[in-house]
Amino acid sequence: MSKFRKTFTGALVAGSAVVSLVSVAVAGKLGLGREASPQEIAGWDIDVRPDGQGLPPGKGTVAQGESIFIEQCAACHGEFGQGVDRWPVLAGGLGSLTHDRPDKTIGSFWPAPSTIYDYVRRAMPYGNAQSLKPDEIYALVAYLLYLNEVVKDTGFELNQKNFASIKLPNSGGFYDDDRETSEKQFWQKDVCMKDCKVDVKVLNHARMLDVTPDRKKSPKVE
Amino acid sequence: MTRNIAASTGLDRAGASRRSFLKSAARTAAAGAVVAAGGGTAIAAEGARHKGPNPANVPPEVAEWSRHLGAGVTDFPYGKPSKHEAHVIRRNVEWLTADKQSSINFTPLHELDGLITPNGLCFERHHGGTPDVDPHDYVLMINGLVDKPMIFTLDDLKRFPRVNRVYFLECAANSGMEWRGAQLNSCQFTHGMVHNLIYTGVPLKALLEEAGLKPKAKWLLAEGGDAAGMNRSIPLAKALDDCLIAFKMNGEALRPEQGYPARLVVPGWEGNMWIKWIRRIEVGDEPWLAREETSKYTDLMADGRSRRFTFIMDAKSIITNPSPEAPLKHTGRNVLTGLAWSGRGIVNRVDVTLDGGRNWQAARIDGPALDKSLVRFYVDFDWSGQELLVQSRAHDQTGYVQPTKNELRMVRGLNSIYHNNGIQTWLVRANGETENVEIS
């Protein structure tokens, strides 16, 4: 009761102030919702960070990972992570990031092994998500590290303790958004409005490629 | 060789093997007979589709629908567009993705006007299909660096003070297929990964305050309840500033493909962060480096390094009419129209050129120009049938001016995939046919 009265009074005070469009007055806690239990959190808290926070207890070797990978993953990703059809390539491409057609794989591009664990745990195998046990995921991550030559030994065991010590080749390859300095020329005081160009040439036509789906061949509408 | 990017992002420039697709829409819109029309001359650019009016329905005859009763009020309990608008649908590009669950479709911008996107035409992007979430089973969990981890039901969420806000949502990969040059001859496919809605929801700040933030809290992880468990790290400052948990779009419940029953709204920031079917928010002190903020949605520069956390969508605009799917049909009076938006605030000016950037004029913005919302612009002009090269250029309230594609390439190279906000050029030919081109 007292809580209700307090909230109600708070709302009246907020109501008498000038109502701003950007901030809605929330007069302290409203007493809505309920506390989540440790069991409920444990069932849903599946994220893993680069420092290892969130890793469940467990372990798995490269060799164990290989057999799980062939059974559960290779249909889309290929036995060696080379990718089937348009499904993602997982290995190779080292040193290709400056190439005309870079191959952005775990080994060539991803910054942290925790990303693999986190992603596989929540989203893989595609169509049967959250079905793998912690040990199976450790083994799969170990195998993917092996495919990417981050670990060399098929006997290598990945576990909760050694996980955060594993580094991927491109871990230093990222920097925070710097557009406001590196692209500061796009903030312009004056733009040209009259006689800005003498000559205009068409350089490139989309039609030359002819890859646009036909409008007449449309999906079925109920 | 190119398969990796095509497979993992679907945004590679298509190779010769994909050229077997049927010809572009514009090509079918070949010039035909010239038909007299009021106030100018109609060119039968879409002659094949329009046979002209049925004489039985036009004056002096009395139209069929003027004589007989139409449908009753129980025939369509949930209304649908006219059957004559059946072509106005979301479409996909089959070669972009490996399957149809982790895939994309596009909003038909050229068929729309005003600035609110109809619910059924909002583009879809999801990574594990659209889940069918039972609202009675839906809960949002908040855990991590909070005083009290919380669970909110949908009913709980609706008991917090509500707000209504209009925001655009643009996929960071919108126009991503065009980095290496004009590729898709289509307004829908080059720019259709943007929509604009009025959301009803509750400020995320209110929910976080209910749980109580620990002093070390700096980042959030937002997580979806779909089969992809989509997860993104979001700076706490943004969450406390203007993020919402929304449950309505344009007044009705979120559509399943837009996150039913609740989604995160991250105004002005890339669409991937607007977690749909949101089931959990974890409060932490550093970013998680999830797959979608490392392997994807990072911008690879020419030097081989990548920008990360490029959250803001830069100012951008697109002329939706004329466009490849919307050729000019008349000489004389015409309406050019389009959309502009900026993740940094209000678009306060749009310039349009009809002659490939030699000369520009200020377009007329009509309708509300709201913060981080689409704005609608028009140029009313007379066309004598000469070839046009039309472009639009958005300015936002921070002074940012939409760059050309080449200006972007100078800074970012060709492989950054995301955040292509470069100026689009359409070539309008004498017969009204309109094509995606790049110019000097």
Side-chain angles (χ1 to χ4, degrees):
Chain A
M1 281 305 276
S2 65
K3 189 178 196 177
F4 175 77
R5 192 172 298 125
K6 206 164 130 195
T7 307
F8 185 65
T9 314
L12 278 181
V13 170
S16 68
V18 176
V19 178
S20 149
L21 271 179
V22 288
S23 70
V24 168
V26 177
K29 297 193 185 198
L30 299 179
L32 297 172
R34 63 172 176 83
E35 186 160 6
S37 74
Q39 293 77 12
E40 286 173 319
I41 296 169
W44 277 22
D45 184 358
I46 54 173
D47 56 83
V48 178
R49 291 200 322 198
D51 62 0
Q53 182 183 299
L55 280 172
K59 58 181 178 354
T61 66
V62 171
Q64 288 164 340
E66 181 179 20
S67 50
I68 300 166
F69 190 88
I70 284 167
E71 198 182 307
Q72 303 250 30
C73 318
C76 294
H77 295 296
E79 273 184 48
F80 305 103
Q82 76 276 23
V84 174
D85 297 334
R86 282 167 211 158
W87 298 104
V89 179
L90 302 178
L94 208 62
S96 72
L97 296 181
T98 53
H99 295 182
D100 185 39
R101 305 281 179 178
D103 276 327
K104 292 154 76 177
T105 73
I106 290 170
S108 71
F109 192 63
W110 293 33
S114 61
T115 309
I116 317 171
Y117 200 105
D118 177 87
Y119 183 70
V120 171
R121 190 186 197 187
R122 67 180 58 252
M124 292 290 117
Y126 188 69
N128 191 22
Q130 300 197 48
S131 61
L132 295 167
K133 293 180 176 61
D135 284 354
E136 293 176 308
I137 306 172
Y138 277 108
L140 280 173
V141 176
Y143 182 61
L144 289 167
L145 295 173
Y146 177 79
L147 286 182
N148 282 287
E149 299 176 42
V150 176
V151 300
K152 304 279 160 67
D153 174 7
T154 54
F156 172 79
E157 180 196 278
L158 187 66
N159 56 49
Q160 198 183 3
K161 284 201 180 70
N162 66 6
F163 197 100
S165 68
I166 308 284
K167 300 283 175 247
L168 294 184
N170 195 43
S171 64
F174 295 83
Y175 58 99
D176 290 353
D177 185 4
D178 66 348
R179 282 176 289 176
E180 291 185 8
T181 51
S182 63
E183 297 181 1
K184 63 176 185 299
Q185 66 272 28
F186 298 157
W187 279 263
Q188 294 182 54
K189 281 206 180 63
D190 299 301
V191 293
C192 179
M193 297 296 283
K194 283 269 167 276
D195 303 321
C196 307
K197 289 179 183 178
V198 181
D199 199 24
V200 178
K201 281 200 196 86
V202 174
L203 302 174
N204 176 286
H205 293 256
R207 265 173 47 177
M208 304 305 284
L209 267 171
D210 202 10
V211 292
T212 312
D214 191 340
R215 204 156 34 127
K216 296 207 167 63
K217 197 185 131 207
S218 61
K220 204 167 169 244
V221 180
E222 54 184 276
Chain B
M1 240 179 315
T2 64
R3 186 183 50 200
N4 177 31
I5 292 179
S8 55
T9 67
L11 298 174
D12 190 20
R13 187 171 165 86
S17 63
R18 298 188 190 123
R19 292 178 193 184
S20 59
F21 276 84
L22 295 174
K23 291 179 176 61
S24 69
R27 182 169 298 190
T28 63
V34 172
V35 185
T41 305
I43 46 177
E46 298 213 39
R49 276 174 57 196
H50 298 285
K51 293 183 291 265
N54 177 355
N57 286 330
V58 298
E61 303 305 323
V62 176
E64 202 181 333
W65 51 82
S66 304
R67 291 183 283 127
H68 305 298
L69 298 179
V73 295
T74 55
D75 290 343
F76 301 103
Y78 192 98
K80 288 194 291 191
S82 160
K83 70 179 183 189
H84 305 291
E85 300 295 315
H87 58 289
V88 183
I89 52 172
R90 297 179 289 213
R91 293 170 194 272
N92 68 321
V93 177
E94 286 198 30
W95 54 258
L96 273 179
T97 54
D99 77 347
K100 292 187 171 61
Q101 280 71 44
S102 183
S103 193
I104 313 161
N105 64 24
F106 300 82
T107 296
L109 299 177
H110 59 286
E111 295 282 1
L112 306 178
D113 214 318
L115 48 89
I116 296 293
T117 314
N119 286 344
L121 294 176
C122 293
F123 81 93
E124 298 174 68
R125 172 63 169 132
H126 27 76
H127 299 70
T130 296
D132 172 21
V133 180
D134 186 330
H136 302 99
D137 299 340
Y138 173 82
V139 296
L140 173 63
M141 177 186 286
I142 298 183
N143 70 311
L145 296 178
V146 291
D147 298 330
K148 185 161 101 173
M150 297 295 296
I151 280 186
F152 300 105
T153 64
L154 194 57
D155 272 355
D156 293 334
L157 294 179
K158 290 178 177 176
R159 293 168 70 196
F160 283 87
R162 274 176 232 170
V163 297
N164 291 287
R165 298 283 185 271
V166 178
Y167 291 124
F168 80 84
L169 180 161
E170 186 185 16
C171 177
N174 199 21
S175 318
M177 289 85 86
E178 305 288 307
W179 272 107
R180 286 170 185 267
Q183 168 162 268
L184 286 162
N185 199 31
S186 159
C187 178
Q188 184 162 9
F189 298 136
T190 57
H191 287 78
M193 283 199 279
V194 63
H195 59 61
N196 201 56
L197 303 169
I198 182 159
Y199 294 95
T200 306
V202 299
L204 179 53
K205 183 180 181 188
L207 306 181
L208 294 171
E209 282 177 351
E210 202 67 19
L213 292 167
K214 300 255 197 218
K216 277 178 68 186
K218 253 184 115 175
W219 286 82
L220 306 181
L221 184 77
E223 177 182 86
D226 58 330
M230 175 57 63
N231 58 332
R232 286 294 303 258
S233 303
I234 296 164
L236 180 63
K238 177 67 174 175
L240 296 177
D241 177 22
D242 58 2
C243 290
L244 307 176
I245 299 291
F247 35 81
K248 302 280 200 219
M249 57 194 280
N250 294 338
E252 66 175 358
L254 294 179
R255 291 289 170 90
E257 66 272 26
Q258 304 302 338
Y260 181 86
R263 82 172 309 165
L264 184 62
V265 170
V266 191
W269 288 19
E270 60 189 20
N272 182 255
M273 304 177 78
W274 298 45
I275 302 295
K276 300 190 278 193
W277 318 287
I278 188 165
R279 73 164 198 172
R280 193 170 67 93
I281 293 167
E282 182 167 333
V283 182
D285 56 359
E286 57 180 71
W288 275 258
L289 304 191
R291 176 186 185 255
E292 305 293 324
E293 59 207 31
T294 53
S295 154
K296 311 294 173 196
Y297 302 98
T298 50
D299 312 334
L300 178 59
M301 300 289 120
D303 68 359
R305 297 187 311 141
S306 300
R307 288 180 185 156
R308 64 174 192 175
F309 306 145
T310 45
F311 302 137
I312 295 176
M313 300 308 295
D314 291 313
K316 185 168 173 177
S317 64
I318 178 66
I319 294 170
T320 57
N321 307 74
S323 66
E325 296 98 322
L328 286 186
K329 292 192 280 193
H330 307 273
T331 54
R333 198 63 168 171
N334 273 286
V335 176
L336 175 152
T337 186
L339 295 162
W341 59 96
S342 169
R344 291 191 172 84
I346 295 169
V347 169
N348 52 16
R349 175 177 158 188
V350 180
D351 305 325
V352 165
T353 176
L354 303 178
D355 60 7
R358 291 180 187 91
N359 299 289
W360 296 80
Q361 57 184 303
R364 178 169 62 85
I365 292 176
D366 192 82
L370 301 168
D371 181 42
K372 304 181 183 72
S373 161
L374 298 190
V375 303
R376 170 64 62 176
F377 65 85
Y378 298 96
V379 171
D380 305 289
F381 72 106
D382 292 307
W383 183 45
S384 58
Q386 81 277 25
E387 206 170 78
L388 305 175
L389 287 164
V390 300
Q391 299 179 323
S392 59
R393 179 171 69 191
H395 302 239
D396 73 21
Q397 64 182 143
T398 71
Y400 183 96
V401 181
Q402 182 183 2
T404 65
K405 290 180 181 174
N406 277 333
E407 284 168 340
L408 280 181
R409 291 177 185 127
M410 295 277 280
V411 184
R412 304 187 194 169
L414 295 177
N415 284 320
S416 60
I417 299 176
Y418 305 102
H419 293 280
N420 185 348
N421 66 318
I423 290 173
Q424 173 66 44
T425 311
W426 303 129
L427 164 64
V428 182
R429 296 183 188 278
N431 62 12
E433 190 180 328
T434 300
E435 193 188 343
N436 176 9
V437 298
E438 291 208 14
I439 58 172
S440 58

